[in-house]
Amino acid sequence: MSDVLELVEARLRTSLGEPDARAAVTFLGTERIEVLRFVDDDVVRYATLGMSAQPMADPTAVLADPLRGPRAELVLSVRAGRADTDKVLRPLAVLAASPQVEGVIVAPGASLDVGEPLWPGAAFTSVLVAESGGLIEDLELDEPRDPVRFLPLLPMTPNEAAWKRVHGADALQERWLQHGTDLRDPLRTGVPLS
């Protein structure tokens, strides 16, 4: 499905400009996942490329449909120069490979955890998957294939992730809004949850 990935990369370039760096990671038994870095003034964006090559399949399905099913790529935005966020490349590739490796469907409202800091010194080990369509428009594909959605990732502290499991994604996002949380700040602390 290299044609899909070519279209995805073209959409990323149209929306974010030219990437200034890219890295590739391959996990045993999976297709290669690339992570592209885009710098826009004081914001660095990391976008996966490869997750959408195949549709995500319901883990309970007997056979995976080679054409139908949700497709997505992941996008993480952080403020530049405040932390060594380039080390997030491998954790992002791990998250992007999770549909192939673990048979999960990544969708808005989901929590994804890498079990270690996203980058050195980060207070975040997991992310909240947000709704697509803001920064990068969904990419329509020819029928019967589903569109590719570009899902923003919002880093969560372990306490925020635990609170989200109890109260839900919408409640956590509302809490962030109430406190004016800068979700792009790689050094931010957790939002007050009491």
Side-chain angles (χ1 to χ4, degrees):
M1 291 285 175
S2 63
D3 60 327
V4 171
L5 296 184
E6 288 171 12
L7 293 170
V8 167
E9 184 166 357
R11 175 60 55 93
L12 288 170
R13 289 172 184 269
T14 300
S15 301
L16 303 177
E18 287 298 312
D20 74 337
R22 66 193 308 148
V25 179
T26 304
F27 303 99
L28 186 62
T30 66
E31 295 182 31
R32 182 170 86 164
I33 301 287
E34 289 187 85
V35 179
L36 283 62
R37 183 180 71 186
F38 301 86
V39 179
D40 179 20
D41 294 326
D42 69 333
V43 176
V44 179
R45 292 189 172 88
Y46 302 94
T48 63
L49 179 63
M51 182 176 169
S52 61
Q54 301 295 328
M56 292 180 270
D58 181 342
T60 62
V62 177
L63 291 174
D65 189 319
L67 295 176
R68 292 178 183 85
R71 295 175 190 258
E73 295 291 352
L74 307 175
V75 181
L76 174 69
S77 300
V78 293
R79 299 230 176 268
R82 304 206 60 209
D84 187 11
T85 56
D86 281 349
K87 299 286 196 250
V88 78
L89 300 178
R90 184 166 177 78
L92 270 182
V94 167
L95 296 177
S98 63
Q100 290 181 56
V101 174
E102 299 172 25
V104 299
I105 294 179
V106 177
S111 298
L112 303 174
D113 195 318
V114 294
E116 60 185 38
L118 292 175
W119 52 83
F124 320 107
T125 59
S126 63
V127 293
L128 174 64
V129 181
E131 290 286 343
S132 67
L135 181 65
I136 306 168
E137 287 184 36
D138 294 350
L139 174 64
E140 296 295 329
L141 300 175
D142 293 337
E143 291 289 336
R145 297 184 292 187
D146 289 18
V148 176
R149 301 174 77 195
F150 297 90
L151 300 172
L153 300 180
L154 309 175
M156 294 187 293
T157 66
N159 285 344
E160 290 170 339
W163 197 85
K164 181 255 176 197
R165 281 191 294 277
V166 174
H167 300 281
D170 290 341
L172 179 58
Q173 289 180 306
E174 183 61 35
R175 183 63 56 118
W176 282 335
L177 280 173
Q178 287 173 353
H179 291 275
T181 306
D182 180 1
L183 296 173
R184 293 179 179 172
D185 182 355
L187 301 176
R188 78 170 181 87
T189 56
V191 70
L193 298 171
S194 55

